[in-house]
Amino acid sequence: MTPVLKTLYGHRLELPQAVRALLFARETPPAVLLAPEERLRRYRDLSAFGAPVYVNPGLEALEEKALFVFSYEEALSPFPEDPASWRLVLEVGRSYPRGALLDRLLRMGYARDEDYRVLGEVLELLEGEVRLLFFGDELERIVVRGEEVRRHVLLPKPGKAEGFTSKKILHFPGAVYLDTPALAPKEIFPLLQGRPLVAFGGGVDLPPLDLGVRPLPPYRGSLKALEKDLARWLAEGRRVHLFAGHGRTLEYLKRRLAPFQPLLLDRYPAPPGRLALLPGAFEGGAEWGEEVFLTEALVFATGAVRGRMRRGEGLSDPSALSPGDYLIHPEHGIGQYLGLETREVLGARRDYLVLRYQGEGRLYLPVEQLPLLKRHPGTTDDPPELSSLGKNEWKRAKERAKKDVEELAQRLLVLQAKRRATPGRAFPPLPEWEAQVAQGFPYALTPDQARALEEVLRDLEAPYPMDRLVSGDVGFGKTEVALRAAHRVVGHGAQVALLVPTTLLAEQHGKTFRERFAGLPVRIGVLSRFTPPKEEEAILKGLREGSVDIVIGTHRLLQPDVRFKDLGLLIVDEEHRFGVAQKERIRELKAEVDTLYLSATPIPRTLYSALVGLKDLSSIKTPPPGRKPIRTFLAPFDPLLVREAILLELERGGKVFYVHDRVASIEARRRYLENLVPEARIGVVHGQMPEGLVEETMLLFAEGAYDVLLATTIIESGLDVGEANTILIERADRLGLATLYQLRGRVGRRAQEAYAYLFHPPRLTEAAEKRLSAIADLSDLGSGHLLAEKDMEIRGVGNLLGPEQHGHIRALSLEVYTELLEEAIRKLKGEVKEERPQVTIDLALSARLPAEYVPSLEARSRYYSRFAEAKSLAEVARLVRELKERYGPLPEEAENFVQLTRLRLVAQRKGVLSLTEDLTHLQAVFPRWPLDYDAKALRQLPFRVELTQYPPGFRLEKKALRPRDYPEALLQALYLFADRSDLSGIPLLG
């Protein structure tokens, strides 16, 4: 049915995607198809139509006569005007004069001895990845990654693309097919002038052409309706093609549609009157003459609007800057960050942060002063009041808060003193006893785990009650710390209570403790809804009489009938899951008892008390060896994405959690998923099921009876299923940060990469969007602690000790308030904190990240933020490497900016107050005289340096120095001065 393709040129066609793919596959190469990034995968494999394609190719594919598929962004990416000189075609038998070859390699960015080595007649590139063996000038053999080939195309060294001035689309000839042209960037159209053009969809000014293709409506998972249509089409003698993107689906459809005797084919077309199953990730479906095209997406999709999926960026810094954020300047107060503006002052171009204040006041702040600013957690849903420039309102608000903070600090210190004065029990080390439990741990402790354990054991040895929070990500080994602490307390003859939020977690901890204490004289009891009445009675009696050493339980432990003979240690797991009344009961229990809190996302109030020193804090941030971060995706709910995510996990032999947090509709959701993914076996659990059934279903899921566990947030705590590596969460916008974080922690507990999909409605409030973005961006392992800090900003702290501090926190922000509080506590304790001086650097040097280099404003803001936060030269080097990998070599202004950042760090280290320049000299000013320096080395510098007593410091002669050399010259001089005494123990190289 394929028409003569030339008749399509210059027309607009409305066709299902499967038919678009067929028409493009029939085109005579070379030809190009351009599509939005998210639709590329639909064209990635056209082998079912007998056409190989290159997706987003580069210089390596330049001379190929082939079908090329580009995203619109890739088509507009920089490309050399003269591509032939930027690719080196190496062929066995051809002659390559040595001198000319080495010159060519140098032009392409390869440095001798760094990127390649010459060993006699052998040339080794890229650490031996490519080996060229010559006989004289003739190339005899090419070995790429251990395999011998006849031909190899060598491309420029990554990063050399910076200077390219052309666009990629101009260098790949042939007819151009546009998929969804309405989403094409406007700048692409002038580049396509004079070329044959076919538009699949609206958005371009071309006449429509009707090919007689009749699109089919989606079947929404109704295979009965599909079977009815198949019977009709086959009776009419049509060729029916059903394309499926997953091998598991092909197998399932072959079984399900067996009455139609389907053929499993690799290539289109099917014989007349037969149904063919073919591989292909196409979309849509159509009747076209005697042919029918069906796709997996058409059969199982529900026709919902596809939303654009966003991947978390894995920021190590959750507070990276973006326009619209509210920032706090120490002198001027709260302003809203509008973006960056480049300004030229005395011939030097710099980027400035633009902050908006009340009454449209504007403050332009050099990016070097970013460290002065703090974040305010306000959002546009709930904006803070902007300060006024020049009215001293901010100063007055700080003074008011200071008074409140001083009273609070006194109360905090009294509480802390009381805790220290309360008599408690000391549990000294028991070396022989402790060695017995340590031997049962199959792994080595991570450094953070070892430190946390040391701190907990030290607290147990102290003669006053422990009150410590161990914060560590899900699966990072908090339980091991708790278990060893319990072991020590039991060794002294005291009892241990482990309080957990859910029955499932109680059972799991019970199993772990029993396994680890096997063979030791330790009796362990588990109190939960699953405990039979007789056993419960025996445990309660044992606790009263002292024959039960460790009890693990849910809220049941807090009932008045639970009494201990000698409780020595209370461990509370996931405190945020307990209600107010339960927390009060915990406080009563722990008055004179050592208390250990474990949490992956400590609730803001708990973290807040740890931050200001009311509770001791141990943090486990290092993941166990081999763990990978969880890749997190945000998207509006999309049935096709759900289906693909589940099938991809099942095809790699894994299991899937699916969270639907509404008990009333969970059965309906199960039926929906059974239609959407009939290949999967689905189990259901929720809190209103009989306890035994919940436990049984969970065990069946863990043992492999189910592929997908559809559950409410009951699975939030402690369920460890190693093979489960994908989780899908519906209406993630309704869940709190801690819950989302815990749910996501159900996956990714082994070395295999895990995926989390957070679904939300098409429209979100800004607070919900911030919550979801925080969780997506914090995909780094060990970021639960950062998350709780983010939560404090979004939600506030709650009352720490009764009176309302929220008003002050709202006016000033949590960070400023906490700083004031810490300052007040230090003052009362008589401690002095020496402030690290901010170095003023005023050199007439153009230094910035140009928009031409880093085009996205958000990315530029984020990099400025990260450079400002850098604490060591090693951190700066990592950021520079990241920039080069992402955007290519640094242009001069960016190089200058990096040099100034290095200069700032070294100057801070040396205690410098300012670095300025006049007509003839660069001046460095120190806070005091005399200076400690290497006089001999200073005289040997290639430029003249003279010491000055007023102001204390030195002057460096500018003669023969270019402005770009100033930072390097100052660095060379500063390295010869001694570090500030209070910083000498901190490594600058990080």
Side-chain angles (χ1 to χ4, degrees), residues 530 685 691-703 706:
F530 289 164
V685 290
E691 294 90 341
L693 187 56
V694 170
E695 165 114 296
E696 194 183 335
T697 310
M698 293 284 203
L699 285 171
L700 285 170
F701 176 60
E703 287 165 7
Y706 297 117

Side-chain angles (χ1 to χ4, degrees), residues 633-780:
F633 300 93
L634 297 183
F637 184 79
D638 175 0
L640 268 186
L641 186 54
V642 170
R643 178 176 163 75
E644 273 169 30
I646 292 174
L647 283 174
L648 284 171
E649 186 56 54
L650 300 192
E651 283 186 351
R652 63 177 189 163
K655 299 190 181 80
V656 178
F657 286 112
Y658 189 103
V659 179
H660 174 85
D661 205 28
R662 287 281 181 276
V663 174
S665 55
I666 200 162
E667 276 305 322
R669 187 46 95 198
R670 193 223 329 240
R671 290 193 294 277
Y672 173 83
L673 287 175
E674 281 171 347
N675 280 337
L676 183 65
V677 197
E679 298 92 332
R681 299 159 300 163
I682 298 169
V684 177
V685 290
H686 56 76
Q688 291 175 20
M689 287 165 68
E691 294 90 341
L693 187 56
V694 170
E695 165 114 296
E696 194 183 335
T697 310
M698 293 284 203
L699 285 171
L700 285 170
F701 176 60
E703 287 165 7
Y706 297 117
D707 303 310
V708 177
L709 186 67
L710 171 60
T712 57
T713 50
I714 188 174
I715 62 161
E716 176 184 345
S717 283
L719 188 69
D720 189 355
V721 179
E723 299 76 40
N725 276 309
T726 294
I727 185 164
L728 299 103
I729 303 172
E730 268 186 31
R731 287 310 302 262
D733 56 304
R734 286 181 177 161
L735 302 174
L737 265 180
T739 304
L740 280 172
Y741 197 74
Q742 291 286 5
L743 284 170
R744 193 178 65 172
R746 296 305 102 216
V747 298
R749 295 187 151 222
R750 300 292 182 272
Q752 198 161 21
E753 191 160 42
Y755 298 88
Y757 296 83
L758 311 183
F759 294 115
H760 56 77
R763 293 178 71 85
L764 285 174
T765 66
E766 190 171 340
E769 197 169 339
K770 279 207 165 188
R771 255 202 329 276
L772 293 178
S773 297
I775 195 103
D777 289 343
L778 292 172
S779 64
D780 287 7

Side-chain angles (χ1 to χ4, degrees), residues 261-282:
Q261 298 173 333
L263 302 169
L264 272 179
L265 298 183
D266 291 329
R267 293 276 291 269
Y268 160 96
R274 293 301 299 270
L275 164 64
L277 302 178
L278 299 105
F282 307 126

Side-chain angles (χ1 to χ4, degrees), residues 866-922:
R866 289 171 69 191
F867 272 107
E869 297 288 318
K871 298 282 188 296
S872 69
L873 296 179
E875 265 181 80
V876 174
R878 279 194 291 273
L879 282 170
V880 171
R881 192 162 61 244
E882 190 180 308
L883 273 173
K884 284 180 175 174
E885 282 169 7
R886 201 167 283 185
Y887 302 104
L890 299 177
E892 188 178 323
E893 289 182 325
E895 196 72 69
N896 292 344
F897 173 72
V898 169
Q899 280 292 73
L900 286 183
T901 306
R902 291 190 181 111
L903 183 60
R904 172 175 59 79
L905 285 171
V906 173
Q908 265 178 355
R909 175 87 185 175
K910 305 294 178 182
V912 172
L913 298 178
S914 67
L915 294 165
T916 54
E917 67 170 305
D918 56 30
L919 279 173
T920 56
H921 287 83
L922 303 173

Side-chain angles (χ1 to χ4, degrees), residues 328-334 357 363 365 369 372-374 387-396 398 816:
I328 302 163
H329 189 282
E331 304 298 323
H332 307 295
I334 301 167
Y357 284 83
L363 181 67
L365 199 69
Q369 291 185 27
L372 294 176
L373 300 176
K374 291 187 172 58
S387 307
S388 296
L389 288 175
K391 288 194 180 172
N392 275 347
E393 285 171 4
W394 176 249
K395 217 173 182 178
R396 287 197 293 274
K398 265 175 100 166
V816 173

Side-chain angles (χ1 to χ4, degrees), residues 254 337 353 369 428 534 545 603 612 800 832 853 923 953 974:
K254 188 183 171 188
Y337 172 56
L353 305 168
Q369 291 185 27
K534 248 187 177 170
E545 294 172 358
I603 50 170
V612 294
L800 192 63
V832 180
Y853 181 58
Q923 172 84 52
L974 284 172

Side-chain angles (χ1 to χ4, degrees), residues 62 98 145 339 398 447 507 515 521 523 713 778 830 853 886 894:
L62 202 62
R98 177 66 58 95
R145 295 184 198 92
K398 265 175 100 166
E507 294 295 316
E515 281 171 6
R523 191 170 162 219
T713 50
L778 292 172
Y853 181 58
R886 201 167 283 185

Side-chain angles (χ1 to χ4, degrees), residues 31-34 40 44 53-64 66-71 74-79 155 167-169 171-172:
V32 175
L33 182 136
L34 305 180
L40 278 194
R44 200 170 284 280
V53 290
Y54 284 90
V55 180
N56 284 343
L59 285 159
E60 76 286 353
L62 202 62
E63 291 171 1
E64 303 283 342
L67 298 179
F68 303 108
V69 176
F70 293 101
S71 67
E74 188 67 24
L76 290 170
S77 62
F79 211 68
L155 303 178
K167 299 292 183 206
K168 189 175 276 192
I169 185 63
H171 299 274
F172 286 84

